[in-house]
Amino acid sequence: CKWVIVRKSILADASKVKKLQQSGEAFVQDGSCNNIAPHLHKCRECRLDSYRKNKEQRDSTVFCRFFHFRRLQFNKHGILREEGFLTPNKYDPEAISLWLPLSKNVVGLDLDTAKYILANIGDHFCQLVISEKEVMSTIEPHRQVAWKRAVRGVREMCDVCDTTIFNLHWVCSKCGFGVCVDCYRMKKKNDDSDTFSWFKCVKGQVHEPENLMPTQIIPGKALYDVGDIVHSVRTKWGIKANCPCANKQFKALSKPTLKEDSKQVLLLPRAMSVSPAGSKQTASVNTSPSLSWLSNLTSGNVNKENKEKLLIPISKNENKPLQPLPTLAKPSAALQTFNSAILTPVSNNNTGFLRNLLNSSGGKTDNGLKTTPKILDDIFASLVQNRTITDLPKKPQGLTIKPTIMGFDTPHYWLCDNRLLCLQDPNNESNWNVFRECWKQGQPVMVSGVHHKLNADLWRPESFRKEFGQQEVDLVNCRTNEIITGATVGDFWDGFEDISSRLRTEEGEPMVLKLKDWPPGEDFRDMMPSRFDDLMKNIPLPEYTRRGGKLNLASRLPNYFVRPDLGPKMYNAYGLITPEDRKYGTTNLHLDVSDAANVMVYVGIPKGQADQEEEVLKTIQDGDSDELTIKRFTESREKPGALWHIYAAKDTEKIREFLKKVAEEQGQENPVDHDPIHDQSWYLDRSLRKRLHQEYGVQGWAIVQFLGDVVFIPAGAPHQVHNLYSCIKVAEDFVSPEHVKHCFWLTQEFRYLSHTHTNHEDKLQVKNVIYHAVKDAVGILRANESSLSRP
């Protein structure tokens, strides 16, 4: 958004103008070019605005590129002239305060969360600082760097690739045309490149890279100062760091956790030996280590010394016998201590650390490591032996729940052959602890039972029809991807649960429709305030999913900036029921730049279709669903809404190669500025999924989303959806610390898509999000440094 309210200019005050004319003092342009200096070079926005013939068509709020950027001056004849641009050292206290950490506790953050955020995204921030330093080093010493201060409510964007400009970029001094670092580099390397088109300057002149001026947005050396503070704070608090700029310094000053020779492991029955970089090591795991630390754990006596003993070399303990377990005094407290002290990530292994720890079957895991049959369940059983049967969490009929050491107070079970965590109580306060362990591994998660919390009357088709039925919308035929214009919201809802009332094709067949982009853009909160409040009140994992959630990094972006549009968004579509429909998707394979929580708020079973239940069951089975999922339908009689296939973000490139290969086999083209995943042109049916697994070793999660289920999709994870019945789904996006790296990579990837792509524009502003999340985290830690010296 390049708009700002232009306030009354200094030039509107005759006495101030007289003083400026007498002194010849330079001042900053504080209004649009058209209003302040019409006879000087106009920026491209003001020039476009001046072309409008009627005054009524002109916009007084148009964002001027030179606003608070260009300096002006009266010459000795009293004529206004250009006098260059602001420089980075000309900042004022208000400008610098936006970019420096507060010296007190930050609203919405606590000490533990600040440490967690810094541990997860500190390295990405350091890489960002290194990149900026590298760019700065390429600028010739004689060239003056300009400073373009951030303007409230304005998102600085590259005029070439639409990516949000974070700090360093290049600007034309005549028209304000601005390009990001990447586009500038590409242009300098190859002038003939037509990957992106560069706008021309005044009188059709070509913008040559060497004629543009280097410009930064962050004032002074604030970026580098915060970088130094990050290194200092991580060292003081013993927060892990693996960035190139701080690696040696950190290793020398911080307390060691895992030795570089990988001989230390977590002392758990299935501990894995992990290298510093998190790579898997092929090694046998000793299954008879000492468990004496549980004596302190169960008595609640877990102090700093005991926690440190949890990481000990196996070689010193391999021959010690198992110690007897005492009776548990406070199971809840002990389990909470266990979660916070032990269940921390020790690797980025692809098989799922959590699943390897909790799977109670003997033999070997997927990575070949030996396991200990039932040892964790046996330990857990002895810890909770005094609890009565009434204390046990209720389970859905036909499903078994394994009590696991992850936390008996967090009801959950496992789907997808023990690869998908399903949390059962959407309001459980300890959900996020369990969720986080799977989320770190890049795994999707499901939470069930949200429909019991929501106000059902708000989410029924008839309520939408009654309130919005006359609105004109575009509909999509899911079988052909044809867009149907001129329809109304009422047309869609009329056929939602009544096949005879559906719009029909020329052949007379009822269409399977999807309501496209409704409500549009950011209108959900304004159009449906009661529904927005109901969703936000009941959405699971509020620490991540709410706009102000402490683990939603997007909440750290100051209100000064344009906030990214993270939803909620609605996904409304009919079900694809016939056998022929199994090759179609309601939403084809794609991926998103941010994390998402997708809530199934309503499932409609339409009348007028024979053998629906039988066909839905066959589709679920054809979709590679596991037995427990099928039992939710056949035995528990829950309402299935949609079949999902989600793939790990790490497998994206393999999937891309596979789809390009299949496209070539079918004689299709693969244009440079298009992508088989980002184009959303593929739905992986059973045969394609089988080939993908056999030829590339890629296996995803087959998830059936029932009424009240919330599917959490990690950023960058390719996924597709096939509606089984008519569904109303609502999704809220968020930015978690664990997946910022995918947001960062995808922003770069989206730059190369064609301008017609919905993903082309960088709406997330991931660099700004990273910067301000780190800034707030170090602010909290610095404010609490006095606690480090306490005994």
Side-chain angles (χ1 to χ4, degrees):
C1 179
K2 297 195 172 183
W3 303 87
V4 67
I5 301 297
V6 180
R7 297 177 179 175
K8 191 174 181 180
S9 169
I10 190 174
L11 297 181
D13 188 324
S15 61
K16 291 181 179 179
V17 170
K18 186 175 181 180
K19 287 182 180 179
L20 289 172
Q21 288 174 332
Q22 291 173 345
S23 66
E25 179 185 355
F27 60 97
V28 179
Q29 181 173 326
D30 58 358
S32 70
C33 302
N34 291 331
N35 294 332
I36 300 299
H39 60 287
L40 299 180
H41 285 124
K42 295 185 181 70
C43 77
R44 52 181 290 104
E45 302 293 341
C46 291
R47 197 166 72 245
L48 289 171
D49 194 49
S50 66
Y51 289 157
R52 298 187 176 104
K53 295 181 180 180
N54 300 325
K55 286 186 177 180
E56 293 75 17
Q57 291 178 323
R58 294 177 184 174
D59 197 329
S60 60
T61 62
V62 66
F63 171 59
C64 170
R65 300 291 182 95
F66 294 145
F67 176 75
H68 277 189
F69 181 31
R70 185 167 64 177
R71 301 173 80 228
L72 303 175
Q73 184 182 42
F74 287 103
N75 65 12
K76 60 183 180 180
H77 302 294
I79 299 173
L80 200 60
R81 293 289 183 230
E82 299 170 19
E83 206 279 321
F85 293 83
L86 286 174
T87 53
N89 61 340
K90 297 295 184 182
Y91 58 83
D92 53 80
E94 181 185 2
I96 196 73
S97 65
L98 186 66
W99 301 95
L100 291 179
L102 296 173
S103 57
K104 58 183 180 180
N105 283 336
V106 182
V107 176
L109 271 187
D110 55 67
L111 188 59
D112 287 339
T113 304
K115 288 191 284 187
Y116 185 76
I117 287 174
L118 210 52
N120 277 274
I121 72 172
D123 289 347
H124 303 301
F125 173 81
C126 287
Q127 188 59 56
L128 189 155
V129 176
I130 291 172
S131 299
E132 291 283 316
K133 286 182 177 179
E134 288 175 350
V135 175
M136 186 65 80
S137 68
T138 65
I139 300 173
E140 298 89 341
H142 67 276
R143 301 201 66 179
Q144 174 65 56
V145 178
W147 171 50
K148 193 177 193 306
R149 68 181 296 159
V151 179
R152 181 183 295 274
V154 173
R155 179 155 61 94
E156 293 291 344
M157 292 166 56
C158 175
D159 281 317
V160 177
C161 72
D162 293 336
T163 300
T164 299
I165 292 174
F166 165 63
N167 183 38
L168 278 172
H169 61 294
W170 272 259
V171 175
C172 173
S173 60
K174 292 183 179 180
C175 72
F177 169 81
V179 295
C180 68
V181 170
D182 295 305
C183 288
Y184 181 82
R185 282 175 173 167
M186 287 176 62
K187 189 71 171 179
K188 284 203 74 173
K189 284 182 180 179
N190 184 5
D191 286 339
D192 297 327
S193 173
D194 60 350
T195 305
F196 300 120
S197 58
W198 283 42
F199 296 125
K200 291 186 178 180
C201 191
V202 182
K203 297 180 180 178
Q205 294 175 327
V206 175
H207 282 116
E208 300 292 350
E210 57 271 17
N211 294 333
L212 304 181
M213 61 180 177
T215 306
Q216 67 184 65
I217 293 175
I218 302 176
K221 295 184 178 179
L223 174 63
Y224 311 127
D225 290 342
V226 174
D228 292 339
I229 294 171
V230 167
H231 294 153
S232 171
V233 165
R234 290 206 286 185
T235 299
K236 287 179 181 178
W237 288 90
I239 298 171
K240 66 177 182 179
N242 197 34
C243 60
C245 53
N247 209 24
K248 293 181 181 178
Q249 170 186 308
F250 181 79
K251 286 181 179 177
L253 298 177
S254 62
K255 294 181 180 180
T257 51
L258 292 176
K259 287 184 178 180
E260 290 190 53
D261 60 5
S262 300
K263 291 182 181 178
Q264 289 187 325
V265 297
L266 275 177
L267 188 54
L268 286 170
R270 294 195 194 162
M272 293 182 61
S273 178
V274 183
S275 68
S279 58
K280 292 185 289 184
Q281 301 290 319
T282 304
S284 62
V285 176
N286 189 291
T287 58
S288 59
S290 170
L291 292 176
S292 59
W293 50 270
L294 273 174
S295 300
N296 291 317
L297 175 67
T298 54
S299 64
N301 183 26
V302 180
N303 55 28
K304 183 179 179 182
E305 180 183 358
N306 292 327
K307 287 182 181 180
E308 290 176 351
K309 287 180 180 179
L310 297 180
L311 285 170
I312 57 176
I314 278 186
S315 58
K316 294 182 180 179
N317 296 274
E318 58 188 5
N319 296 319
K320 289 186 179 182
L322 290 170
Q323 302 295 318
L325 295 171
T327 304
L328 177 66
K330 298 178 179 180
S332 298
L335 287 169
Q336 185 176 0
T337 306
F338 185 96
N339 286 338
S340 60
I342 303 173
L343 290 171
T344 54
V346 295
S347 78
N348 292 323
N349 66 83
N350 298 330
T351 56
F353 173 62
L354 182 66
R355 177 166 53 90
N356 291 337
L357 287 176
L358 300 180
N359 188 350
S360 62
S361 61
K364 294 185 178 181
T365 59
D366 292 345
N367 56 14
L369 295 177
K370 294 181 180 179
T371 63
T372 304
K374 294 188 177 299
I375 187 166
L376 281 180
D377 282 351
D378 292 342
I379 293 172
F380 185 82
S382 68
L383 294 178
V384 297
Q385 57 186 331
N386 293 327
R387 296 188 69 165
T388 63
I389 193 68
T390 57
D391 294 328
L392 296 176
K394 295 180 180 179
K395 63 180 180 179
Q397 182 181 355
L399 296 179
T400 59
I401 303 175
K402 293 188 300 182
T404 69
I405 211 74
M406 279 300 299
F408 196 71
D409 295 287
T410 308
H412 65 279
Y413 57 94
W414 296 88
L415 295 172
C416 295
D417 300 321
N418 286 341
R419 295 185 301 119
L420 178 75
L421 172 68
C422 184
L423 296 163
Q424 292 174 266
D425 179 3
N427 295 122
N428 194 295
E429 292 184 357
S430 61
N431 276 343
W432 69 278
N433 277 316
V434 186
F435 167 85
R436 190 163 69 178
E437 298 308 319
C438 288
W439 200 242
K440 288 173 184 175
Q441 311 302 321
Q443 301 171 2
V445 174
M446 191 159 73
V447 181
S448 59
V450 176
H451 61 303
H452 296 306
K453 312 292 181 182
L454 295 170
N455 180 351
D457 292 336
L458 292 175
W459 304 102
R460 300 184 192 280
E462 49 267 28
S463 68
F464 291 108
R465 182 192 296 107
K466 182 178 179 180
E467 291 181 54
F468 310 106
Q470 300 306 312
Q471 289 184 5
E472 286 197 9
V473 290
D474 289 342
L475 302 176
V476 179
N477 185 334
C478 294
R479 292 183 175 123
T480 63
N481 284 326
E482 175 192 2
I483 296 178
I484 300 155
T485 59
T488 66
V489 171
D491 292 332
F492 173 81
W493 294 114
D494 287 343
F496 193 76
E497 293 178 286
D498 185 358
I499 293 177
S500 64
S501 299
R502 291 181 177 178
L503 299 181
R504 295 182 178 269
T505 64
E506 292 181 358
E507 291 77 23
E509 291 294 320
M511 296 184 189
V512 176
L513 296 174
K514 176 166 61 175
L515 191 53
K516 181 177 172 61
D517 300 329
W518 186 83
E522 302 176 29
D523 290 350
F524 187 98
R525 186 174 192 172
D526 297 331
M527 278 180 58
M528 308 176 184
S530 58
R531 293 179 179 87
F532 175 85
D533 293 340
D534 189 44
L535 181 70
M536 289 298 105
K537 179 183 175 182
N538 296 292
I539 195 167
L541 284 307
E543 299 85 355
Y544 283 92
T545 51
R546 286 183 185 164
R547 293 185 177 189
K550 64 181 182 180
L551 288 169
N552 183 0
L553 299 187
S555 69
R556 306 319 317 163
L557 196 64
N559 290 329
Y560 196 91
F561 295 89
V562 177
R563 305 301 296 271
D565 176 20
L566 296 177
K569 298 180 179 70
M570 288 191 74
Y571 298 90
N572 310 292
Y574 303 165
L576 290 153
I577 293 176
T578 68
E580 295 77 18
D581 286 337
R582 289 174 196 147
K583 62 184 177 182
Y584 300 116
T586 306
T587 303
N588 286 345
L589 189 74
H590 69 289
L591 52 78
D592 297 311
V593 71
S594 56
D595 305 296
N598 187 293
V599 188
M600 182 69 74
V601 296
Y602 187 87
V603 175
I605 302 176
K607 57 184 180 182
Q609 177 79 36
D611 303 321
Q612 285 185 88
E613 189 170 315
E614 182 181 343
E615 290 300 332
V616 166
L617 176 59
K618 288 180 180 178
T619 302
I620 291 174
Q621 293 169 332
D622 183 79
D624 306 319
S625 301
D626 65 1
E627 287 301 316
L628 288 181
T629 295
I630 294 171
K631 284 183 178 180
R632 289 187 71 184
F633 180 40
T634 58
E635 296 182 18
S636 299
R637 309 304 297 173
E638 295 186 61
K639 279 187 176 182
L643 170 67
W644 292 66
H645 292 98
I646 304 176
Y647 296 89
K650 67 181 179 60
D651 291 326
T652 301
E653 194 53 42
K654 290 182 179 178
I655 297 172
R656 181 175 285 121
E657 289 179 14
F658 170 69
L659 293 177
K660 286 182 177 179
K661 175 183 174 182
V662 174
E664 289 176 2
E665 292 173 357
Q666 297 178 1
Q668 300 178 25
E669 295 183 358
N670 289 308
V672 176
D673 61 347
H674 284 260
D675 181 277
I677 297 177
H678 299 320
D679 288 353
Q680 299 191 32
S681 55
W682 289 89
Y683 180 79
L684 302 181
D685 60 16
R686 186 169 195 174
S687 62
L688 288 175
R689 294 195 302 271
K690 185 176 180 180
R691 280 190 62 183
L692 179 62
H693 190 201
Q694 290 176 341
E695 298 174 24
Y696 289 82
V698 174
Q699 181 183 17
W701 290 265
I703 303 170
V704 175
Q705 184 184 22
F706 290 78
L707 175 62
D709 285 349
V710 185
V711 178
F712 282 80
I713 310 104
H719 57 283
Q720 62 183 25
V721 186
H722 174 106
N723 278 15
L724 301 164
Y725 288 122
S726 295
C727 299
I728 303 175
K729 299 189 286 284
V730 187
E732 177 72 4
D733 296 345
F734 58 97
V735 183
S736 66
E738 297 87 350
H739 300 148
V740 157
K741 60 184 178 183
H742 297 300
C743 303
F744 193 84
W745 293 335
L746 286 168
T747 298
Q748 290 297 102
E749 205 171 89
F750 289 163
R751 290 179 65 249
Y752 298 96
L753 297 176
S754 70
H755 281 261
T756 57
H757 258 281
T758 55
N759 281 335
H760 178 77
E761 185 181 317
D762 169 30
K763 296 178 181 177
L764 191 59
Q765 309 168 60
V766 65
K767 289 184 180 180
N768 276 328
V769 168
I770 291 173
Y771 183 95
H772 291 283
V774 166
K775 179 200 72 177
D776 286 354
V778 298
I780 285 274
L781 295 172
R782 291 178 80 192
N784 288 273
E785 282 181 359
S786 59
S787 64
L788 287 171
S789 58
R790 296 173 188 166

